[in-house]
Amino acid sequence: MVRLGFIVALIALIGVLLSGLAAYRVHDQELAIDGIALARAIDVHASLVQDRLTERELLARVASGLFRTPSMVKANMLQPLRSAIYAFKTDFVFAAWIARLRPNELAAAEAELKANGFTNPTIRDFDDQALDLKALDKPINVLMDVEPRNPETLSIPGRAFDRHSVVGPMLARAMASGKPVASDPVPLLRLNGPVGVVLAAPVFPEGASEPAGFITFSYELSALMLTNDDSSLFAVALKDPRDSNDEFTANEQGFVTSRAVRQDGPMPSMVRTVTFGGRDWSLD
């Protein structure tokens, strides 16, 4: 009788162990399936972001190719492009024509800006400080036209961006490479404006070795790479691979903030790389 009870108990124990093992395997399989589904969702998200970035870069290339022999001192260079760029994509904050002006063209450029009704037609520095135009001995990059034209953008034309800490190096890289180049993240329109990136495409007149200027498109970072909403399965942070100390995040309202990366903080679940304007960006 004791032996029979022992055998029954042993069989029951083996059954429990087998049931536990089967439950563990099912649970492990469910975790693996969830992990695969999450990885697929992240890949789809990164692919959609990359498609979006590629479209915007293509727009810049097409827009720069529509220029033929631009007159650099004109302040309505975007006029022939307005219908074309709006037909393609309309989510840029503003588009601009930045001309490379020689010192002897600056007076004519100021007259053009004044004739086109811009708020401040004076050629000046990027921060609206006066420039000593007589001391200039080489071309400078002056914003000569902007789209859309509204009370906030009408004050921008006339600014020279060579000494701007973000836009200046971007224009130099675009001129050297001859291709569209993206800037570092920068506030748009004003110091406390929405954080975005600027994409600059050099415009080369036929047969010229140096660009006559640049067409630029400014995009909000949240709409471009950091779209987060109620249906998102995860939060996304943007990081420049050249600088691993800071990252950008956007809340559900699209407000972007920069924060220092905590070295002891949690690691991102996955990292995907996207390319925009000749640069790699990390989506964490």
Side-chain angles (χ1 to χ4, degrees), residues 32 61 82 94 97 132 146 154 175 195 208-209 251 265 267:
R61 290 179 181 272
R82 281 184 169 88
F94 65 95
W97 163 246
D132 185 2
V146 66
L154 285 175
M175 184 168 64
V195 178
S209 59
N251 60 18
M267 296 296 292

Side-chain angles (χ1 to χ4, degrees), residues 165-166 170 173 182-187 196-198 240 242 279 281:
S165 61
V166 174
M170 173 197 66
R173 292 196 305 271
S183 73
D184 292 335
V186 61
V197 290
V198 183
D240 188 341
R242 303 172 306 173
R279 294 174 53 180
W281 308 78

Side-chain angles (χ1 to χ4, degrees), residues 23-139:
Y24 176 78
R25 291 189 62 185
V26 170
H27 176 67
D28 193 50
Q29 289 176 347
E30 288 179 348
L31 288 178
I33 292 172
D34 288 344
I36 292 172
L38 178 61
R40 183 178 294 115
I42 290 175
D43 286 336
V44 169
H45 178 88
S47 178
L48 292 174
V49 171
Q50 184 61 74
D51 289 345
R52 190 184 307 140
L53 298 176
T54 301
E55 288 176 352
R56 275 57 177 184
E57 193 164 334
L58 178 60
L59 169 61
R61 290 179 181 272
V62 170
S64 66
L66 292 178
F67 285 92
R68 288 294 179 262
T69 54
S71 172
M72 292 179 283
V73 297
K74 291 181 65 176
N76 61 347
M77 287 297 299
L78 296 178
Q79 181 62 38
L81 297 179
R82 281 184 169 88
S83 59
I85 60 180
Y86 277 118
F88 192 25
K89 288 295 174 184
T90 61
D91 60 348
F92 54 83
V93 178
F94 65 95
W97 163 246
I98 298 179
R100 285 184 55 78
L101 300 178
R102 295 187 296 272
N104 62 354
E105 296 173 317
L106 297 179
E110 287 187 345
E112 272 286 317
L113 291 170
K114 184 176 181 179
N116 276 267
F118 291 114
T119 305
N120 186 352
T122 305
I123 304 296
R124 58 203 186 279
D125 214 344
F126 69 91
D127 55 0
D128 285 335
Q129 298 300 308
L131 278 177
D132 185 2
L133 302 184
K134 294 182 180 179
L136 297 175
D137 58 357
K138 60 181 180 181

